Amino acid sequence: MGFLATKIIAHRGASSKYPENTMFAYKQALKDGADAIELDIHLSRDKIPVVIHDETVDRTTDGYGFVKDYSVSELKKLSAGHWKGWKFRKAEIPTLEEVLAWIQSTPLDLVIELKNNLFPYKGMEEIMLDLIDKYRMMERTIFSSFNHDSLLKIKRLNHNAETAPLYSKPIPDPVRYAKSIGASGLHPYYRITTEQLVRTLHKNGLKIRPYTVNSPHFMAILFRWGVDAVITDEPAQAAKLRKIKMK
Ligand code: G3P
Ligand code: MG
């Protein structure tokens, strides 16, 4: 019963074989049968939300230094794909707006992770929500973060925004906690996800989408427990496994 309900969220796109958080990885996720993509955002020096995982460009581009110290036009000159292979050398760091313009005409949903736990990026929530409104994506987007204050702020700015906190250590009363920050779901690390947690959240009208599960063994368990979605670097494998489980 649970298998049918479980969605596949491609973590940073189809990021195991394609450069994470680039259009290459998102377009592949769509081909692979994902239901949604997850992406990470920071603010550039000129206060534009840009899609990259780390605070610095060091790991995933041919540049170095903090994202916040670059303007968008400077970030655009970097290769965000070369590190993953020569054929991806033309990949750019996308702006959130570029991804929204593309995703709007696809059937995909979107999970935006605000990476504002190290640098607060003043005004990030407002700037992001304006873009979501501009592209009419509010109903297809879930906002997540390890910065739970930021999720509370999003909820206060727009009551219709769907939020879900990320966390990696068990929390004592997850239902009460989610409700206290206005979240409609939780995104726990997959290794702290239990069948009991899935049941408790569902009984209380909350969604659960564990991250980041790539092993078929654990994926199958989560499908069986009926989690609402799995967040995975391997959307193709997840789609295949889900099909087998549904038979
Ligand atoms: O959305 C889940 C996941 O993205 C959280 O961790 O570090 O991969 O952004 P991270
Ligand atoms: Mg993330």
Short mmCIF file of all heavy atoms in Angstrom, two decimals, residues 19-82:
data_model
loop_
_atom_site.label_atom_id
_atom_site.label_comp_id
_atom_site.label_asym_id
_atom_site.label_seq_id
_atom_site.Cartn_x
_atom_site.Cartn_y
_atom_site.Cartn_z
N PRO A 19 26.68 16.32 -12.57
CA PRO A 19 27.14 17.32 -11.59
C PRO A 19 25.98 17.89 -10.77
O PRO A 19 25.04 18.45 -11.33
CB PRO A 19 27.80 18.40 -12.46
CG PRO A 19 27.37 18.14 -13.86
CD PRO A 19 26.95 16.72 -13.96
N GLU A 20 26.07 17.70 -9.46
CA GLU A 20 25.00 18.09 -8.53
C GLU A 20 24.58 19.55 -8.72
O GLU A 20 25.41 20.41 -9.03
CB GLU A 20 25.46 17.88 -7.09
CG GLU A 20 26.64 18.79 -6.71
CD GLU A 20 27.10 18.57 -5.27
OE1 GLU A 20 27.45 17.43 -4.92
OE2 GLU A 20 27.12 19.56 -4.50
N ASN A 21 23.30 19.80 -8.49
CA ASN A 21 22.78 21.18 -8.54
C ASN A 21 23.11 21.91 -9.85
O ASN A 21 23.42 23.11 -9.84
CB ASN A 21 23.30 21.99 -7.34
CG ASN A 21 22.57 21.67 -6.04
OD1 ASN A 21 21.37 21.40 -6.03
ND2 ASN A 21 23.29 21.68 -4.93
N THR A 22 23.04 21.18 -10.96
CA THR A 22 23.15 21.84 -12.28
C THR A 22 21.99 21.37 -13.14
O THR A 22 21.35 20.35 -12.83
CB THR A 22 24.46 21.47 -13.01
OG1 THR A 22 24.41 20.07 -13.38
CG2 THR A 22 25.70 21.76 -12.19
N MET A 23 21.76 22.07 -14.23
CA MET A 23 20.66 21.70 -15.13
C MET A 23 20.88 20.29 -15.70
O MET A 23 19.90 19.58 -15.97
CB MET A 23 20.49 22.72 -16.25
CG MET A 23 19.98 24.09 -15.81
SD MET A 23 18.53 24.08 -14.72
CE MET A 23 17.33 23.27 -15.73
N PHE A 24 22.13 19.87 -15.88
CA PHE A 24 22.40 18.50 -16.35
C PHE A 24 21.73 17.50 -15.39
O PHE A 24 21.08 16.55 -15.82
CB PHE A 24 23.91 18.20 -16.34
CG PHE A 24 24.67 18.72 -17.53
CD1 PHE A 24 25.37 19.91 -17.46
CD2 PHE A 24 24.68 18.01 -18.73
CE1 PHE A 24 26.08 20.39 -18.55
CE2 PHE A 24 25.40 18.47 -19.83
CZ PHE A 24 26.11 19.67 -19.74
N ALA A 25 21.93 17.72 -14.10
CA ALA A 25 21.42 16.77 -13.09
C ALA A 25 19.90 16.85 -12.96
O ALA A 25 19.24 15.82 -12.75
CB ALA A 25 22.07 17.05 -11.74
N TYR A 26 19.32 18.03 -13.14
CA TYR A 26 17.85 18.16 -13.00
C TYR A 26 17.15 17.53 -14.21
O TYR A 26 16.15 16.84 -14.06
CB TYR A 26 17.43 19.62 -12.85
CG TYR A 26 18.10 20.29 -11.68
CD1 TYR A 26 18.53 21.61 -11.76
CD2 TYR A 26 18.32 19.60 -10.50
CE1 TYR A 26 19.16 22.23 -10.69
CE2 TYR A 26 18.96 20.20 -9.43
CZ TYR A 26 19.37 21.51 -9.53
OH TYR A 26 20.02 22.10 -8.48
N LYS A 27 17.69 17.81 -15.40
CA LYS A 27 17.07 17.24 -16.60
C LYS A 27 17.15 15.72 -16.60
O LYS A 27 16.23 15.04 -17.01
CB LYS A 27 17.70 17.84 -17.86
CG LYS A 27 17.29 19.30 -18.03
CD LYS A 27 17.88 19.95 -19.26
CE LYS A 27 17.32 21.38 -19.38
NZ LYS A 27 18.04 22.20 -20.33
N GLN A 28 18.26 15.20 -16.09
CA GLN A 28 18.40 13.75 -15.99
C GLN A 28 17.40 13.18 -14.98
O GLN A 28 16.82 12.13 -15.22
CB GLN A 28 19.84 13.38 -15.60
CG GLN A 28 20.12 11.89 -15.65
CD GLN A 28 19.91 11.29 -17.04
OE1 GLN A 28 20.27 11.91 -18.05
NE2 GLN A 28 19.33 10.09 -17.10
N ALA A 29 17.20 13.89 -13.88
CA ALA A 29 16.25 13.42 -12.86
C ALA A 29 14.86 13.26 -13.46
O ALA A 29 14.15 12.29 -13.17
CB ALA A 29 16.22 14.40 -11.69
N LEU A 30 14.49 14.19 -14.30
CA LEU A 30 13.18 14.11 -14.96
C LEU A 30 13.12 12.86 -15.84
O LEU A 30 12.15 12.09 -15.79
CB LEU A 30 12.95 15.39 -15.78
CG LEU A 30 11.65 15.48 -16.60
CD1 LEU A 30 10.43 15.38 -15.70
CD2 LEU A 30 11.62 16.79 -17.40
N LYS A 31 14.19 12.64 -16.63
CA LYS A 31 14.25 11.44 -17.49
C LYS A 31 14.21 10.16 -16.66
O LYS A 31 13.67 9.15 -17.07
CB LYS A 31 15.56 11.43 -18.30
CG LYS A 31 15.57 12.38 -19.47
CD LYS A 31 16.81 12.14 -20.33
CE LYS A 31 17.07 13.35 -21.20
NZ LYS A 31 18.50 13.52 -21.53
N ASP A 32 14.84 10.21 -15.49
CA ASP A 32 14.95 9.02 -14.63
C ASP A 32 13.64 8.66 -13.94
O ASP A 32 13.55 7.64 -13.26
CB ASP A 32 16.02 9.24 -13.55
CG ASP A 32 17.43 9.16 -14.11
OD1 ASP A 32 17.59 8.75 -15.27
OD2 ASP A 32 18.38 9.53 -13.37
N GLY A 33 12.66 9.53 -14.02
CA GLY A 33 11.36 9.21 -13.39
C GLY A 33 11.18 9.77 -12.00
O GLY A 33 10.31 9.31 -11.25
N ALA A 34 11.98 10.79 -11.64
CA ALA A 34 11.80 11.42 -10.33
C ALA A 34 10.47 12.20 -10.32
O ALA A 34 9.99 12.64 -11.36
CB ALA A 34 12.96 12.37 -10.04
N ASP A 35 9.92 12.35 -9.12
CA ASP A 35 8.70 13.16 -8.96
C ASP A 35 9.04 14.60 -8.61
O ASP A 35 8.22 15.49 -8.77
CB ASP A 35 7.83 12.58 -7.83
CG ASP A 35 7.44 11.15 -8.11
OD1 ASP A 35 6.66 10.94 -9.05
OD2 ASP A 35 7.95 10.24 -7.42
N ALA A 36 10.25 14.78 -8.08
CA ALA A 36 10.66 16.11 -7.61
C ALA A 36 12.18 16.20 -7.65
O ALA A 36 12.87 15.18 -7.68
CB ALA A 36 10.16 16.35 -6.19
N ILE A 37 12.68 17.44 -7.61
CA ILE A 37 14.12 17.62 -7.41
C ILE A 37 14.33 18.42 -6.12
O ILE A 37 13.49 19.25 -5.75
CB ILE A 37 14.81 18.34 -8.59
CG1 ILE A 37 14.18 19.71 -8.88
CG2 ILE A 37 14.83 17.45 -9.83
CD1 ILE A 37 15.02 20.60 -9.78
N GLU A 38 15.47 18.15 -5.48
CA GLU A 38 15.89 18.94 -4.32
C GLU A 38 17.05 19.80 -4.77
O GLU A 38 17.89 19.34 -5.56
CB GLU A 38 16.32 17.99 -3.20
CG GLU A 38 16.67 18.67 -1.89
CD GLU A 38 18.16 18.94 -1.64
OE1 GLU A 38 19.00 18.61 -2.52
OE2 GLU A 38 18.49 19.46 -0.58
N LEU A 39 17.10 21.03 -4.31
CA LEU A 39 18.26 21.90 -4.60
C LEU A 39 18.58 22.75 -3.38
O LEU A 39 17.74 22.94 -2.50
CB LEU A 39 18.00 22.75 -5.84
CG LEU A 39 16.77 23.64 -5.91
CD1 LEU A 39 16.95 24.92 -5.12
CD2 LEU A 39 16.48 23.98 -7.38
N ASP A 40 19.82 23.24 -3.34
CA ASP A 40 20.31 24.03 -2.21
C ASP A 40 20.55 25.47 -2.65
O ASP A 40 21.11 25.68 -3.74
CB ASP A 40 21.64 23.45 -1.71
CG ASP A 40 21.54 21.97 -1.41
OD1 ASP A 40 20.93 21.62 -0.40
OD2 ASP A 40 22.07 21.16 -2.21
N ILE A 41 20.15 26.43 -1.83
CA ILE A 41 20.39 27.82 -2.25
C ILE A 41 21.21 28.64 -1.24
O ILE A 41 21.13 28.46 -0.02
CB ILE A 41 19.08 28.59 -2.59
CG1 ILE A 41 18.13 28.69 -1.40
CG2 ILE A 41 18.38 27.96 -3.79
CD1 ILE A 41 17.00 29.70 -1.61
N HIS A 42 22.00 29.55 -1.82
CA HIS A 42 22.74 30.58 -1.09
C HIS A 42 22.43 31.91 -1.77
O HIS A 42 21.84 31.93 -2.85
CB HIS A 42 24.25 30.32 -1.20
CG HIS A 42 24.70 29.08 -0.50
ND1 HIS A 42 25.25 29.09 0.77
CD2 HIS A 42 24.69 27.77 -0.89
CE1 HIS A 42 25.55 27.85 1.12
NE2 HIS A 42 25.23 27.03 0.14
N LEU A 43 22.87 33.02 -1.16
CA LEU A 43 22.71 34.32 -1.83
C LEU A 43 24.07 34.82 -2.33
O LEU A 43 25.07 34.75 -1.61
CB LEU A 43 22.17 35.39 -0.87
CG LEU A 43 20.67 35.47 -0.59
CD1 LEU A 43 20.36 36.81 0.10
CD2 LEU A 43 19.81 35.30 -1.83
N SER A 44 24.06 35.32 -3.57
CA SER A 44 25.28 35.90 -4.13
C SER A 44 25.52 37.28 -3.50
O SER A 44 24.66 37.79 -2.76
CB SER A 44 25.13 36.05 -5.65
OG SER A 44 24.10 36.99 -5.90
N ARG A 45 26.64 37.91 -3.84
CA ARG A 45 26.94 39.25 -3.31
C ARG A 45 25.84 40.24 -3.69
O ARG A 45 25.48 41.12 -2.92
CB ARG A 45 28.30 39.72 -3.85
CG ARG A 45 28.87 40.92 -3.12
CD ARG A 45 30.22 41.31 -3.68
NE ARG A 45 30.12 41.83 -5.03
CZ ARG A 45 30.91 41.48 -6.04
NH1 ARG A 45 31.89 40.61 -5.85
NH2 ARG A 45 30.75 42.02 -7.23
N ASP A 46 25.29 40.08 -4.89
CA ASP A 46 24.21 40.97 -5.34
C ASP A 46 22.82 40.44 -4.98
O ASP A 46 21.83 40.79 -5.60
CB ASP A 46 24.34 41.32 -6.84
CG ASP A 46 24.80 40.15 -7.72
OD1 ASP A 46 25.13 39.07 -7.17
OD2 ASP A 46 24.83 40.31 -8.94
N LYS A 47 22.80 39.57 -3.96
CA LYS A 47 21.54 39.12 -3.33
C LYS A 47 20.59 38.35 -4.25
O LYS A 47 19.37 38.47 -4.19
CB LYS A 47 20.77 40.31 -2.71
CG LYS A 47 21.56 41.16 -1.76
CD LYS A 47 21.02 41.04 -0.35
CE LYS A 47 21.85 41.76 0.68
NZ LYS A 47 22.83 40.90 1.34
N ILE A 48 21.20 37.55 -5.12
CA ILE A 48 20.42 36.69 -6.00
C ILE A 48 20.54 35.25 -5.46
O ILE A 48 21.66 34.78 -5.21
CB ILE A 48 20.99 36.71 -7.46
CG1 ILE A 48 21.21 38.13 -7.97
CG2 ILE A 48 20.15 35.86 -8.41
CD1 ILE A 48 19.99 38.90 -8.34
N PRO A 49 19.40 34.54 -5.28
CA PRO A 49 19.51 33.13 -4.85
C PRO A 49 20.16 32.27 -5.95
O PRO A 49 19.69 32.25 -7.08
CB PRO A 49 18.06 32.70 -4.62
CG PRO A 49 17.27 33.97 -4.53
CD PRO A 49 18.00 34.96 -5.39
N VAL A 50 21.24 31.62 -5.57
CA VAL A 50 21.95 30.76 -6.52
C VAL A 50 21.99 29.34 -5.98
O VAL A 50 21.95 29.12 -4.78
CB VAL A 50 23.39 31.27 -6.80
CG1 VAL A 50 23.37 32.52 -7.66
CG2 VAL A 50 24.16 31.49 -5.52
N VAL A 51 22.09 28.39 -6.92
CA VAL A 51 21.92 26.99 -6.56
C VAL A 51 23.28 26.30 -6.48
O VAL A 51 23.93 26.06 -7.51
CB VAL A 51 21.01 26.30 -7.59
CG1 VAL A 51 20.80 24.85 -7.21
CG2 VAL A 51 19.67 27.02 -7.69
N ILE A 52 23.69 26.02 -5.28
CA ILE A 52 24.98 25.36 -5.02
C ILE A 52 24.90 24.82 -3.59
O ILE A 52 24.19 25.40 -2.76
CB ILE A 52 26.16 26.35 -5.25
CG1 ILE A 52 27.52 25.66 -5.04
CG2 ILE A 52 26.03 27.61 -4.39
CD1 ILE A 52 28.72 26.48 -5.53
N HIS A 53 25.60 23.74 -3.31
CA HIS A 53 25.47 23.13 -1.98
C HIS A 53 26.31 23.81 -0.91
O HIS A 53 25.82 24.15 0.16
CB HIS A 53 25.84 21.64 -2.05
CG HIS A 53 25.72 20.96 -0.72
ND1 HIS A 53 26.75 20.89 0.19
CD2 HIS A 53 24.67 20.34 -0.13
CE1 HIS A 53 26.34 20.26 1.27
NE2 HIS A 53 25.08 19.91 1.10
N ASP A 54 27.61 23.98 -1.18
CA ASP A 54 28.52 24.46 -0.14
C ASP A 54 28.49 25.99 -0.03
O ASP A 54 28.08 26.68 -0.96
CB ASP A 54 29.96 24.04 -0.45
CG ASP A 54 30.12 22.51 -0.57
OD1 ASP A 54 29.15 21.78 -0.31
OD2 ASP A 54 31.23 22.08 -0.95
N GLU A 55 29.03 26.49 1.07
CA GLU A 55 29.19 27.95 1.24
C GLU A 55 30.26 28.48 0.29
O GLU A 55 30.26 29.66 -0.06
CB GLU A 55 29.62 28.29 2.68
CG GLU A 55 28.48 28.33 3.69
CD GLU A 55 27.96 26.96 4.07
OE1 GLU A 55 28.68 25.96 3.89
OE2 GLU A 55 26.80 26.89 4.54
N THR A 56 31.19 27.61 -0.09
CA THR A 56 32.25 28.03 -1.01
C THR A 56 32.06 27.34 -2.36
O THR A 56 31.37 26.33 -2.46
CB THR A 56 33.66 27.68 -0.48
OG1 THR A 56 33.84 26.27 -0.56
CG2 THR A 56 33.87 28.16 0.95
N VAL A 57 32.73 27.90 -3.36
CA VAL A 57 32.65 27.30 -4.71
C VAL A 57 33.76 26.26 -4.91
O VAL A 57 33.83 25.63 -5.96
CB VAL A 57 32.74 28.39 -5.81
CG1 VAL A 57 31.57 29.36 -5.72
CG2 VAL A 57 34.08 29.15 -5.75
N ASP A 58 34.58 26.07 -3.90
CA ASP A 58 35.81 25.27 -4.04
C ASP A 58 35.59 23.83 -4.54
O ASP A 58 36.27 23.36 -5.45
CB ASP A 58 36.58 25.20 -2.71
CG ASP A 58 36.95 26.57 -2.18
OD1 ASP A 58 36.35 27.56 -2.64
OD2 ASP A 58 37.84 26.66 -1.32
N ARG A 59 34.67 23.12 -3.92
CA ARG A 59 34.52 21.69 -4.21
C ARG A 59 33.91 21.43 -5.59
O ARG A 59 34.32 20.52 -6.29
CB ARG A 59 33.67 20.99 -3.12
CG ARG A 59 33.45 19.50 -3.35
CD ARG A 59 32.65 18.86 -2.20
NE ARG A 59 31.34 19.44 -2.04
CZ ARG A 59 30.24 19.06 -2.71
NH1 ARG A 59 30.32 18.05 -3.57
NH2 ARG A 59 29.08 19.65 -2.51
N THR A 60 32.91 22.21 -5.97
CA THR A 60 32.13 21.86 -7.16
C THR A 60 32.37 22.78 -8.37
O THR A 60 31.66 22.66 -9.37
CB THR A 60 30.61 21.85 -6.84
OG1 THR A 60 30.25 23.13 -6.31
CG2 THR A 60 30.26 20.77 -5.84
N THR A 61 33.32 23.71 -8.26
CA THR A 61 33.63 24.53 -9.44
C THR A 61 35.15 24.64 -9.59
O THR A 61 35.92 24.15 -8.76
CB THR A 61 33.06 25.97 -9.34
OG1 THR A 61 33.89 26.76 -8.49
CG2 THR A 61 31.63 25.99 -8.83
N ASP A 62 35.54 25.37 -10.64
CA ASP A 62 36.98 25.59 -10.84
C ASP A 62 37.44 26.90 -10.20
O ASP A 62 38.54 27.38 -10.47
CB ASP A 62 37.31 25.56 -12.35
CG ASP A 62 36.39 26.44 -13.17
OD1 ASP A 62 35.46 27.04 -12.60
OD2 ASP A 62 36.61 26.54 -14.39
N GLY A 63 36.60 27.48 -9.35
CA GLY A 63 36.98 28.70 -8.63
C GLY A 63 37.24 28.42 -7.16
O GLY A 63 37.27 27.26 -6.74
N TYR A 64 37.45 29.46 -6.38
CA TYR A 64 37.60 29.29 -4.94
C TYR A 64 37.05 30.51 -4.22
O TYR A 64 36.91 31.58 -4.81
CB TYR A 64 39.07 29.04 -4.54
CG TYR A 64 39.99 30.16 -4.93
CD1 TYR A 64 40.24 31.23 -4.06
CD2 TYR A 64 40.62 30.17 -6.18
CE1 TYR A 64 41.07 32.27 -4.42
CE2 TYR A 64 41.45 31.21 -6.55
CZ TYR A 64 41.67 32.26 -5.66
OH TYR A 64 42.48 33.30 -6.02
N GLY A 65 36.67 30.33 -2.97
CA GLY A 65 36.14 31.43 -2.16
C GLY A 65 34.65 31.25 -1.87
O GLY A 65 34.02 30.29 -2.32
N PHE A 66 34.13 32.19 -1.07
CA PHE A 66 32.73 32.11 -0.64
C PHE A 66 31.76 32.55 -1.74
O PHE A 66 32.01 33.55 -2.43
CB PHE A 66 32.50 32.98 0.60
CG PHE A 66 33.16 32.45 1.83
CD1 PHE A 66 34.24 33.12 2.41
CD2 PHE A 66 32.72 31.27 2.41
CE1 PHE A 66 34.86 32.62 3.54
CE2 PHE A 66 33.34 30.76 3.55
CZ PHE A 66 34.41 31.44 4.12
N VAL A 67 30.66 31.84 -1.85
CA VAL A 67 29.59 32.20 -2.79
C VAL A 67 29.15 33.64 -2.54
O VAL A 67 28.96 34.43 -3.48
CB VAL A 67 28.37 31.25 -2.63
CG1 VAL A 67 27.21 31.65 -3.52
CG2 VAL A 67 28.78 29.80 -2.90
N LYS A 68 29.02 34.01 -1.26
CA LYS A 68 28.50 35.34 -0.89
C LYS A 68 29.41 36.49 -1.34
O LYS A 68 28.99 37.65 -1.34
CB LYS A 68 28.26 35.42 0.63
CG LYS A 68 29.55 35.42 1.46
CD LYS A 68 29.24 35.56 2.93
CE LYS A 68 30.49 35.52 3.79
NZ LYS A 68 31.47 36.57 3.51
N ASP A 69 30.63 36.17 -1.70
CA ASP A 69 31.56 37.22 -2.15
C ASP A 69 31.58 37.39 -3.67
O ASP A 69 32.26 38.27 -4.19
CB ASP A 69 32.98 36.92 -1.65
CG ASP A 69 33.07 37.00 -0.13
OD1 ASP A 69 32.23 37.72 0.48
OD2 ASP A 69 33.94 36.33 0.46
N TYR A 70 30.85 36.55 -4.37
CA TYR A 70 30.78 36.62 -5.84
C TYR A 70 29.46 37.26 -6.28
O TYR A 70 28.41 36.99 -5.69
CB TYR A 70 30.77 35.21 -6.43
CG TYR A 70 32.09 34.51 -6.57
CD1 TYR A 70 32.68 33.88 -5.47
CD2 TYR A 70 32.74 34.45 -7.80
CE1 TYR A 70 33.88 33.20 -5.60
CE2 TYR A 70 33.94 33.77 -7.93
CZ TYR A 70 34.51 33.15 -6.83
OH TYR A 70 35.69 32.48 -6.96
N SER A 71 29.50 38.05 -7.36
CA SER A 71 28.25 38.49 -8.00
C SER A 71 27.77 37.34 -8.89
O SER A 71 28.56 36.43 -9.21
CB SER A 71 28.49 39.73 -8.84
OG SER A 71 29.30 39.38 -9.95
N VAL A 72 26.52 37.39 -9.31
CA VAL A 72 26.02 36.32 -10.17
C VAL A 72 26.83 36.24 -11.46
O VAL A 72 27.20 35.15 -11.90
CB VAL A 72 24.51 36.50 -10.50
CG1 VAL A 72 24.10 35.59 -11.64
CG2 VAL A 72 23.68 36.15 -9.30
N SER A 73 27.14 37.39 -12.04
CA SER A 73 27.86 37.32 -13.32
C SER A 73 29.25 36.70 -13.13
O SER A 73 29.74 36.00 -14.01
CB SER A 73 27.92 38.68 -14.01
OG SER A 73 28.67 39.55 -13.23
N GLU A 74 29.84 36.91 -11.98
CA GLU A 74 31.14 36.25 -11.70
C GLU A 74 30.96 34.74 -11.50
O GLU A 74 31.75 33.94 -12.00
CB GLU A 74 31.79 36.87 -10.45
CG GLU A 74 32.31 38.28 -10.69
CD GLU A 74 32.58 39.07 -9.40
OE1 GLU A 74 32.19 38.61 -8.30
OE2 GLU A 74 33.14 40.17 -9.51
N LEU A 75 29.90 34.37 -10.77
CA LEU A 75 29.63 32.94 -10.54
C LEU A 75 29.38 32.21 -11.86
O LEU A 75 29.78 31.06 -12.04
CB LEU A 75 28.42 32.75 -9.62
CG LEU A 75 28.63 33.11 -8.15
CD1 LEU A 75 27.30 33.14 -7.40
CD2 LEU A 75 29.58 32.13 -7.46
N LYS A 76 28.71 32.91 -12.77
CA LYS A 76 28.35 32.31 -14.06
C LYS A 76 29.58 31.96 -14.92
O LYS A 76 29.49 31.16 -15.83
CB LYS A 76 27.44 33.27 -14.85
CG LYS A 76 26.01 33.27 -14.34
CD LYS A 76 25.33 32.00 -14.78
CE LYS A 76 23.95 31.84 -14.27
NZ LYS A 76 23.44 30.49 -14.52
N LYS A 77 30.71 32.59 -14.61
CA LYS A 77 31.93 32.31 -15.40
C LYS A 77 32.61 31.01 -14.95
O LYS A 77 33.49 30.50 -15.63
CB LYS A 77 32.90 33.48 -15.26
CG LYS A 77 32.36 34.75 -15.91
CD LYS A 77 33.44 35.83 -16.05
CE LYS A 77 32.83 37.10 -16.62
NZ LYS A 77 32.68 38.16 -15.60
N LEU A 78 32.19 30.50 -13.80
CA LEU A 78 32.82 29.27 -13.28
C LEU A 78 32.20 28.04 -13.93
O LEU A 78 31.03 28.04 -14.31
CB LEU A 78 32.63 29.18 -11.76
CG LEU A 78 33.13 30.37 -10.93
CD1 LEU A 78 32.77 30.17 -9.46
CD2 LEU A 78 34.64 30.54 -11.09
N SER A 79 32.99 26.97 -14.01
CA SER A 79 32.43 25.69 -14.46
C SER A 79 31.94 24.92 -13.24
O SER A 79 32.71 24.67 -12.31
CB SER A 79 33.47 24.85 -15.19
OG SER A 79 32.95 23.53 -15.34
N ALA A 80 30.66 24.55 -13.25
CA ALA A 80 30.11 23.78 -12.13
C ALA A 80 30.03 22.29 -12.48
O ALA A 80 29.41 21.50 -11.76
CB ALA A 80 28.72 24.31 -11.77
N GLY A 81 30.66 21.93 -13.61
CA GLY A 81 30.56 20.54 -14.04
C GLY A 81 31.89 19.86 -14.31
O GLY A 81 31.98 18.63 -14.30
N HIS A 82 32.91 20.66 -14.51
CA HIS A 82 34.20 20.09 -14.90
C HIS A 82 34.70 19.06 -13.90
O HIS A 82 35.25 18.01 -14.27
CB HIS A 82 35.22 21.22 -15.08
CG HIS A 82 36.50 20.75 -15.66
ND1 HIS A 82 37.72 21.02 -15.10
CD2 HIS A 82 36.75 19.99 -16.74
CE1 HIS A 82 38.67 20.43 -15.81
NE2 HIS A 82 38.11 19.82 -16.81
#
